[in-house]
Amino acid sequence: MSIWEYANPVKFMRLSGRVLPYVIALAAICLLSGMVWGYFFVPNAENFGGSVKVIYVHVPAAMMAINIWGMMLVTSLIWLIRRHHVSALAARAAAPIGAVMTLIALITGAVWGEPMWGTWWEWDPRLTSFLILFLFYLGYIALWAAVEDPDTAADLTGVLCLVGAVFAVLSRYAANFWNQGLHQGATLSLDKQKHIADVYWFPLLLCIAGFVFFFVALVLIRTRTEIRLRRLGALQQRERMA
Amino acid sequence: MAADPASGLRVENLAVARGGLAVLEGVSFALAPGEALVLRGPNGIGKTTLLRTLAGLQPALAGEVSVPPESIAYAAHSDGIKATLSVAENLRFWAAVHGTRDISEPLSQMNLETLAERPANSLSAGQKRRLGLARLLVTGRPIWMLDEPTVSLDTDSVALFARVIADHLGQGGSALMATHIDLGLVSSRDLDLTPYKARAPEAGGISGAFDEVLS
Amino acid sequence: MAADPASGLRVENLAVARGGLAVLEGVSFALAPGEALVLRGPNGIGKTTLLRTLAGLQPALAGEVSVPPESIAYAAHSDGIKATLSVAENLRFWAAVHGTRDISEPLSQMNLETLAERPANSLSAGQKRRLGLARLLVTGRPIWMLDEPTVSLDTDSVALFARVIADHLGQGGSALMATHIDLGLVSSRDLDLTPYKARAPEAGGISGAFDEVLS
Amino acid sequence: MIALLIRDLRLAVRAGGGFGLGLAFFLIVVTLVPFGVGPQGDILARIAPGILWLGALLACLLSLDRIFALDYEDGSLDLLVSAPIPLEGVVVMKALAHWLTTGLPLVIAAPVFGLLLHLPGDAQGWLVLSLLLGTPALSVLGTFGAALTVGLKRGGLLLSLLVLPFYVPTLIFGAELVSRGAQGMATQIPLLMLAGITAASVALIPFAAAAAIRVNLR
Amino acid sequence: MIALLIRDLRLAVRAGGGFGLGLAFFLIVVTLVPFGVGPQGDILARIAPGILWLGALLACLLSLDRIFALDYEDGSLDLLVSAPIPLEGVVVMKALAHWLTTGLPLVIAAPVFGLLLHLPGDAQGWLVLSLLLGTPALSVLGTFGAALTVGLKRGGLLLSLLVLPFYVPTLIFGAELVSRGAQGMATQIPLLMLAGITAASVALIPFAAAAAIRVNLR
Ligand code: HEM
Ligand SMILES: Nc1ncnc2c1ncn2[C@@H]1O[C@H](COP(=O)(O)OP(=O)(O)OP(=O)(O)O)[C@@H](O)[C@H]1O
Ligand SMILES: Nc1ncnc2c1ncn2[C@@H]1O[C@H](COP(=O)(O)OP(=O)(O)OP(=O)(O)O)[C@@H](O)[C@H]1O
Ligand SMILES: [Mg+2]
Ligand SMILES: [Mg+2]
């Protein structure tokens, strides 16, 4: 039995229905424990003050924002190559979540930037490329909304996602070239030297895991809704045919 | 008209869809060179959809078509006429795209010589229609697909058009048209599409990807 | 249909132009309530131009029309149908604009009830045409001007439409249409436009503002 | 006439997020400016009022051709002209629908964009006020331009060309109002001028626009 | 295929000054900027490269929806798809026609606009070079956006929303090239990047655009 079987809407509905409660539970546990740990049991950093706690939302949201586009890229490719409907619907379901994650990263970043850099917004390359990523999400969502026929929309947004991924990366490099910024480098590197202290690190990991599960749960729910809607549409059209 | 004599169109068990929904299924017919077939059926049965599918403008749900879209010329209501170009310029463009002969013969065949230098937006509905049909002649393709070709044409022009079709058939071409009125062609057969109306999947029709989801 | 009984349309010596050039001149006719008049003539004679002029969409060159455009409902090929609105929404809008009654009767008269919730862009050519004609019914105006109303309609729909026209005439309305095919209306007369074809100014036709400049 | 407004708003929403698109375009322009002129906060702050007003103006401009062209193409305009409602009313409703779908969202979202361009805090209020006063004029003047070009196939660029000169006074006083407000200078004159332009446009332009439509249709 | 190019150019000319309109729009944007940001020469000179590039980009954008929409509406696109020429070739010709009618006139007229915005003399050459290298990419990417939205009624704003993010890298390197050139700094990297983006877009995007058109037509 191949993995592609789950791309069949019926199989997908059955399996996802069974898995969903566990994913939700995992998300809740990770998020709750990570947040509580991070917010109440971690000392304030000497040079960051209390505002460091934004990190528990900011960093996971930022990571999700990037990775969701990656996930959409993969599912779009699967749709374009193998024409599995569930795949396209998953991409569609993920996009608004990605947009919201980008927005959360931007807003928490802005909230953080005020005490840290003394400004709400700076044209730092990383911040800027997030703004551009947000635009890509908006365009992607708008295209889905504008095209009536669902399969056409899936194809078009799939192509847009592919080309968009290339240009999003290109924009990142262009922005880097254009302005060397203020923002931190990657802190999650495995290199222990660069790493932030463990006290911050473990709750952060929990939060990231929580965001991932949360995202999976949301995508499953939204994909299931989309499938139901498609089924409903098919039924209505059938009625007219009769 | 360089029609390959063996290139009769054969359609087998074709199913066509519009808006993601099967409209016709199990359509089978053959169209020999020199023959014309008139699609009949009430509004909304799927004539336009069938013609577009055969012309390669939309994919079929199922079934086989023996002839590639490259030998089919399709003409619908909107005929790719540019309002600001003159009649001759419009035709000349399509002739160039299809790499075919000069345009004077098609112009005279559709009785458009006197209008040749008029911009297309100053034509009346019927004159525009004649220009659209003249475009068929410059494609040089053997199989014509015509969606309500005689709309807006007066009786003289209908007769003119019937002669052009007859010529085309005489040269080994063939034609498939959807129309509600009678053209008076001698070598034409009718094909009623009503029996091919798609049934609901429960009744044995073609089922979509989402048909079983909640059952 | 609140047709003013005395509101027969009288046209006298009308001249109409398109593209700055007289097309028809000296057109005179009368259309009594309860009567239908079918405009005949070859393509390009000026039927569309005449109808648009009477409907107040373009000015006449000369002549008199006894009835203001406010009592005329005009329907052409492009019928102001919004592709993204449903059939019912489209009709309801025009009903609101004309401050008229509910739309359920027009819907049923044109056999559109089952399509009422469909967006207009998913209709076939004939279904769209029926919607366009249903719009006439919601205007509540006594005089209808129809430009090739039966284009794309199948035989059943043509019959349906003929019934609707007959109803309208029975209620004291009147209709003026341009069409190339026969509708089978009982109370209709034909008006051939060929004799009214505009002559060149030298031959006694209407002369334009610049016609004498070089003579 | 209300039916017309409702229909236009509904069409805008159906066309895929009517309200959001103008906003998104504005956001994009604001994002692109720093790429062009460099990321330095002080320069950005100085040109911010001008850029924000330019962005609003371009967002308006891009959606102008929808105002009448679609109705012209599908024959609705012919029918509206012969309908029992005054054509001036039709024009006003069209302009109102345009403002509701492009102008108003801009007014509401302007502070965020101001933030992105480092507009000083005190200027934010002036920005919102100036846009609130000025954008109706943009919509009405744009409707006039759209009426002039209604018969032309894809008159997009021509339309911009016609309309932009009309936008100049609004732009000048709008941007001036914001930058004076930011610097704490007297703001009465630009304020009054802006309000005056808008009031006069709204009162008079619909007649000109209706006349233009009548000419274009015949 | 050449016939297509000729037809498109002829249509652009007939539509009322095809070549001039993009230019005129560019001119208007450039004139409006000083109204928005104030007339000080030093500020203008500093933001000039960015503004000129932004203007070019917006002038491109405004004419994008003509690329396929007209052909779609009158059925030409259906016929072109079934014509015996590759759809990719059609896309390339369309992009080329767009560039010839909007991009090239901008390149030629750019020095004049540079003058208006007090662009320093040495930067003029760089401005022309950067536009010459960059505008083809704008046309090709725009063609892709137009292909994506071809089936949609009046997708104008959506088109801008889709296309503008794609323009970011070109804009950054283009404006950077001019401002580095003006300051006598090293220009190799932006020059190479700009050329690279254009070359890659021209080589690859037509395939994506052709695929989008095929999807949209079915
Ligand atoms: C609104 C703007 C901001 C955006 C879009 C943004 C974006 C990001 C992104 C994408 C990451 C994840 C990087 C990665 O894991 O590779 C991140 C991490 C981080 N950000 Fe921000 N950021 C913003 C503002 C700020 C501000 C103002 C601060 C504080 C001074 C800040 C501090 C951090 C830190 C400490 C991390 C974790 C280190 C890391 O994983 O890279 N960010 N941000
Ligand atoms: N997007 C859509 N969703 C659902 N149904 C659709 C859609 N588009 C078209 N249809 C339906 O598909 C059917 C076939 O339409 P088609 O245009 O092929 O009919 P036709 O035989 O050409 O009719 P006509 O004689 O009126 O031109 C119609 O019943 C139409 O309502
Ligand atoms: N801009 C123009 N310049 C010159 N002549 C024009 C212009 N527009 C239309 N005409 C001519 O005016 C005449 C009348 O056109 P009209 O559309 O009224 O004809 P019609 O009787 O409706 O024809 P049909 O039956 O084909 O619809 C036609 O001969 C047409 O070619
Ligand atoms: Mg049809
Ligand atoms: Mg006519």
Side-chain angles (χ1 to χ4, degrees), chain A residues 237, chain B residues 18-19 23 43-49 148 180, chain C residues 118 122-127 152:
Chain A
Q237 288 187 321
Chain B
R18 207 171 138 193
V23 171
N43 287 145
I45 189 75
K47 299 179 291 296
T48 301
T49 315
E148 316 204 25
H180 295 291
Chain C
R118 284 265 285 276
S122 79
L123 300 180
S124 81
Q127 293 163 341
S152 310

Side-chain angles (χ1 to χ4, degrees), chain C:
Chain C
M1 215 84 7
D4 175 355
S7 81
L9 170 69
R10 244 171 313 101
V11 170
E12 255 161 74
N13 227 338
L14 191 72
V16 299
R18 211 172 135 192
L21 211 63
V23 170
L24 292 171
E25 53 188 24
V27 181
S28 305
F29 62 87
L31 182 65
E35 210 182 17
L37 193 61
V38 178
L39 300 177
R40 301 282 179 182
N43 288 146
I45 189 74
K47 300 179 291 297
T48 302
T49 315
L50 177 62
L51 291 177
R52 285 182 63 87
T53 309
L54 292 175
L57 293 170
Q58 55 179 74
L61 273 189
E64 302 239 323
V65 181
S66 70
V67 153
E70 279 75 47
S71 49
I72 295 178
Y74 171 72
H77 297 281
S78 44
D79 254 326
I81 296 173
K82 290 290 168 192
T84 49
L85 297 184
S86 74
V87 170
E89 283 169 337
N90 267 302
L91 264 192
R92 219 174 284 130
F93 167 67
W94 288 111
V97 164
H98 286 275
T100 45
R101 334 148 293 162
D102 72 334
I103 59 160
S104 56
E105 201 187 326
L107 275 180
S108 72
Q109 270 183 283
M110 290 313 300
N111 197 8
L112 286 166
E113 295 113 325
T114 50
L115 301 172
E117 296 311 317
R118 284 265 285 276
N121 63 358
S122 79
L123 300 180
S124 81
Q127 293 163 341
K128 216 173 268 170
R129 198 79 195 113
R130 290 216 299 273
L131 171 55
L133 294 172
R135 192 192 55 80
L136 280 176
L137 293 167
V138 306
T139 61
R141 292 181 166 182
I143 306 180
W144 290 359
M145 306 258 152
L146 309 171
D147 199 357
E148 315 204 25
T150 57
V151 158
S152 310
L153 292 184
D154 59 19
T155 29
D156 287 356
S157 302
V158 169
L160 185 78
F161 171 65
R163 266 203 307 286
V164 170
I165 295 265
D167 264 17
H168 177 63
L169 300 182
Q171 288 167 314
S174 53
L176 186 64
M177 20 189 167
T179 175
H180 295 291
I181 64 173
D182 201 34
L183 268 178
L185 285 174
V186 276
S187 53
S188 87
R189 288 181 298 131
D190 279 11
L191 174 69
D192 189 359
L193 288 177
T194 328
Y196 303 116
K197 192 168 178 190
R199 288 153 299 163
E202 299 84 51
I206 289 184
S207 67
F210 295 93
D211 271 333
E212 264 108 275
V213 172
L214 298 183
S215 59

Side-chain angles (χ1 to χ4, degrees), chain E residues 175-194:
Chain E
E176 195 70 19
L177 178 57
V178 184
S179 64
R180 291 206 175 191
Q183 294 162 39
M185 289 160 65
T187 52
Q188 265 148 327
I189 301 173
L191 194 64
L192 284 178
M193 288 303 295
L194 201 60

Side-chain angles (χ1 to χ4, degrees), chain E residues 17-206:
Chain E
F19 293 90
L21 283 177
L23 217 56
F25 178 79
F26 195 40
L27 174 63
I28 291 179
V29 169
V30 171
T31 6
L32 285 185
V33 167
F35 288 128
V37 307
Q40 301 85 348
D42 53 330
I43 284 236
L44 283 181
R46 268 191 75 182
I47 65 174
I51 296 299
L52 287 171
W53 256 93
L54 266 178
L57 201 146
L58 291 172
C60 258
L61 204 68
L62 273 182
S63 45
L64 283 186
D65 62 342
R66 292 165 168 250
I67 296 184
F68 293 117
L70 285 177
D71 280 342
Y72 175 77
E73 279 162 21
D74 65 15
S76 301
L77 203 55
D78 275 353
L79 299 175
L80 282 173
V81 168
S82 50
I85 48 178
L87 194 52
E88 285 76 12
V90 172
V91 170
V92 172
M93 286 301 137
K94 286 278 175 184
L96 184 57
H98 180 259
W99 184 72
L100 288 177
T101 48
T102 42
L104 188 60
L106 289 192
V107 174
I108 295 171
V112 180
F113 297 118
L115 220 63
L116 286 181
L117 289 184
H118 299 272
L119 191 71
D122 347 335
Q124 295 280 16
W126 291 109
L127 177 66
V128 174
L129 181 67
S130 73
L131 284 175
L132 190 63
L133 278 178
T135 44
L138 300 186
S139 286
V140 173
L141 289 170
T143 310
F144 172 57
L148 282 178
T149 55
V150 73
L152 309 173
K153 278 259 152 193
R154 235 16 82 132
L157 265 179
L158 175 62
L159 178 56
S160 320
L161 178 60
L162 289 179
V163 165
L164 277 177
F166 286 106
Y167 282 175
V168 168
T170 313
L171 172 65
I172 291 182
F173 289 117
E176 195 70 19
L177 178 57
V178 184
S179 64
R180 291 206 175 191
Q183 294 162 39
M185 289 160 65
T187 52
Q188 265 148 327
I189 301 173
L191 194 64
L192 284 178
M193 288 303 295
L194 201 60
I197 290 174
T198 300
S201 307
V202 172
L204 299 177
I205 294 288

